[in-house]
Amino acid sequence: MKVHNPSPASPTQLLQQLQRYIFQHDNTPLTPEQWQLLSPSIAAYGLERFFYYYANSSLPEALRTPFQTAYQFQAFQALKQEHALKQLKTLFRQRRIRFCPLKGVDLAYRLYPAPALRPMGDIDLLIHPEDCQAARAVLAEAGWQAEYDYAHQHHYSVILKDGIALEIHFRLPRFIAADMLQVWALLLPVDDTEHRLPPELNLLLLFNHAGGHHWQNGRRLLLDTGFLLSRQPVDWSKLAQLAAQFQVFTPELLFAAFPDFYPAEYRPPAGAIAPELAADFRQLVLHGVAFASRPHELLMSQPDRFSPAWWRKRIAGLRPLCTRFRHHIPPGHRGQVFRCYLKDCGIKLKYFWRFLSGSKDPVLRQYLKRQKRIADYLSRH
């Protein structure tokens, strides 16, 4: 059937369709008109896997192969990661090491209807503070190898085995001021070793972690929180208490910005958030990924560029150790480090001169203004 309406769907139309799948469990086949309306937005937001799973029965033949390929590739990746996760769980149970799956590895196999719908780069496991060193030793014995040995703000260096990446966390991401023993006291035990985040803590983690990435993983944030809320009720007063206790942001902005995705019965009581602020946040979440490939232009266009704090961050990134991390250079190989260091400095210098006065792209400048308004709002609350 030929359709004479080539206009792509608005974000609202796409979000409402996602809402029907996630919250209403409505798998009514899409009409040819709906497919033509939605397919540009599906491609723009990387949702081919999602619609292959939910709307496969009505999928147009022209879209079947790319949608099926995207789904099957991720299903294969998820199967490998699930196998590794089962091995890790067995290992930790044998050694009595307390752990808690985080983010994708928690959500994909527990809350999503199919793991292929939740891509993840690595396996994230939170380890009890008293078991961290034992966990690292056990993993090394089991063949998990690190390119470098360091501790970040909340996790140790990534370790690898059979093509699977594992990140061992000693702290929840973005919970910088939290006492981790207090956090562990709140976790829900599955057995003597495995634990889960309560939904309130999980929602705070997902929202704050996305903020740490400047909301550029907004599509993932919407889907993660959608499946979490649709399957686990949240105590909003408890969430507010935990946010105050651990000094992290509450997600009211998310619900104010997306009333067309989160049904009213799944949202917290409405707060006093200005409509223009909610609109700014909506734009960041929906379109932030478009700027992820322009990091140098973003850095050189920041409102605080050339401030002392800005210079400190830029100079810190020029340390030779950062060059090793960036280019995955093993210990030694100083000549390779030196060559890559010169290359990196040349790239940074090129962009420094190119964007000395900031970006001329009005869309990017508006994006940064929205970022600053949201950051200022969150810092006050």
Side-chain angles (χ1 to χ4, degrees):
M1 176 178 179
K2 187 175 181 180
V3 180
H4 297 284
N5 178 16
S7 302
S10 68
T12 290
Q13 290 170 308
L14 181 63
L15 289 167
Q16 288 173 341
Q17 186 61 44
L18 293 174
Q19 182 196 93
R20 283 191 281 273
Y21 290 147
I22 296 172
F23 291 98
Q24 300 173 19
H25 310 292
D26 179 1
N27 291 8
T28 303
L30 299 180
T31 65
E33 291 85 357
Q34 287 176 308
W35 274 113
Q36 184 152 351
L37 189 70
L38 290 169
S39 57
S41 298
I42 292 170
Y45 290 103
L47 292 168
E48 293 90 345
R49 293 179 300 270
F50 202 87
F51 278 81
Y52 179 79
Y53 177 84
Y54 278 102
N56 184 36
S57 64
S58 63
L59 189 61
E61 284 305 313
L63 299 178
R64 182 167 297 280
T65 297
F67 280 44
Q68 183 181 50
T69 300
Y71 182 87
Q72 290 178 342
F73 173 80
Q74 192 54 50
F76 176 66
Q77 295 297 111
L79 190 63
K80 291 197 300 181
Q81 289 172 318
E82 184 176 18
H83 177 68
L85 178 62
K86 288 179 179 177
Q87 290 182 320
L88 288 165
K89 287 183 177 183
T90 299
L91 184 64
F92 287 162
R93 286 182 180 125
Q94 289 173 345
R95 300 298 186 93
R96 312 286 298 173
I97 291 170
R98 291 160 288 182
F99 67 97
C100 176
L102 299 178
K103 300 184 290 182
V105 74
D106 169 43
L107 304 172
Y109 304 109
R110 189 168 64 87
L111 298 180
Y112 275 73
L117 301 183
R118 188 18 172 113
M120 53 185 140
D122 50 31
I123 294 174
D124 295 278
L125 297 179
L126 178 69
I127 304 296
H128 192 282
E130 296 171 0
D131 297 339
C132 282
Q133 296 311 312
R136 299 182 75 199
V138 165
L139 290 167
E141 290 174 13
W144 291 86
Q145 301 289 328
E147 287 184 304
Y148 318 99
D149 187 15
Y150 67 92
H152 190 53
Q153 287 183 338
H154 51 83
H155 64 81
Y156 297 107
S157 50
V158 174
I159 53 179
L160 305 168
K161 182 181 179 182
D162 300 330
I164 302 294
L166 170 63
E167 220 171 58
I168 292 297
H169 291 253
F170 49 84
R171 179 180 297 281
L172 287 180
R174 312 299 294 177
F175 281 61
I176 298 171
D179 181 328
M180 287 308 298
L181 291 177
Q182 293 179 6
V183 170
W184 272 91
L186 297 167
L187 302 192
L188 307 175
V190 177
D191 54 35
D192 290 344
T193 54
E194 183 177 357
H195 295 71
R196 290 176 183 163
L197 295 175
E200 298 79 13
L201 203 53
N202 216 343
L203 184 55
L204 289 174
L205 168 65
L206 295 172
F207 182 75
N208 283 271
H209 183 258
H213 289 273
H214 307 291
W215 316 108
Q216 290 179 347
N217 55 353
R219 175 206 64 182
R220 183 176 295 175
L221 174 64
L222 289 172
L223 296 178
D224 283 354
T225 54
F227 281 113
L228 173 65
L229 291 168
S230 70
R231 285 156 171 76
Q232 294 187 293
V234 168
D235 182 333
W236 297 109
S237 60
K238 180 180 178 181
L239 180 140
Q241 179 264 319
L242 291 175
Q245 178 182 351
F246 298 128
Q247 299 178 41
V248 294
F249 302 129
T250 53
E252 284 89 350
L253 262 176
L254 183 64
F255 300 103
F258 292 96
D260 47 352
F261 176 65
Y262 301 103
E265 62 268 30
Y266 293 94
R267 300 198 299 263
I273 294 176
E276 57 271 19
L277 193 69
D280 277 343
F281 188 71
R282 183 183 177 92
Q283 292 301 310
L284 286 185
V285 170
L286 288 177
H287 304 299
V289 69
F291 300 100
S293 61
R294 300 162 70 180
H296 299 289
E297 189 175 357
L298 286 170
L299 286 172
M300 287 299 299
S301 306
Q302 294 287 347
D304 68 338
R305 69 182 184 277
F306 308 140
S307 68
W310 186 91
W311 278 113
R312 282 195 295 272
K313 289 180 182 178
R314 305 289 76 75
I315 293 170
L318 290 173
R319 292 174 297 173
L321 185 60
C322 294
T323 303
R324 284 192 182 275
F325 292 164
R326 193 177 299 117
H327 296 278
H328 304 285
I329 304 172
H333 301 275
R334 294 184 179 180
Q336 186 180 357
V337 171
F338 182 67
R339 288 192 298 273
C340 290
Y341 185 83
L342 292 179
K343 178 183 176 182
D344 288 351
C345 288
I347 292 172
K348 290 176 183 292
L349 188 61
K350 179 184 77 171
Y351 283 107
F352 181 85
W353 287 113
R354 181 178 174 183
F355 298 113
L356 186 61
S357 301
S359 174
K360 299 295 189 285
D361 181 352
V363 178
L364 183 141
R365 296 174 76 94
Q366 182 62 33
Y367 168 75
L368 288 172
K369 288 179 181 177
R370 289 193 176 107
Q371 258 194 4
K372 187 173 188 311
R373 286 196 289 267
I374 295 302
D376 289 346
Y377 169 82
L378 290 173
S379 67
R380 294 194 304 269
H381 296 79

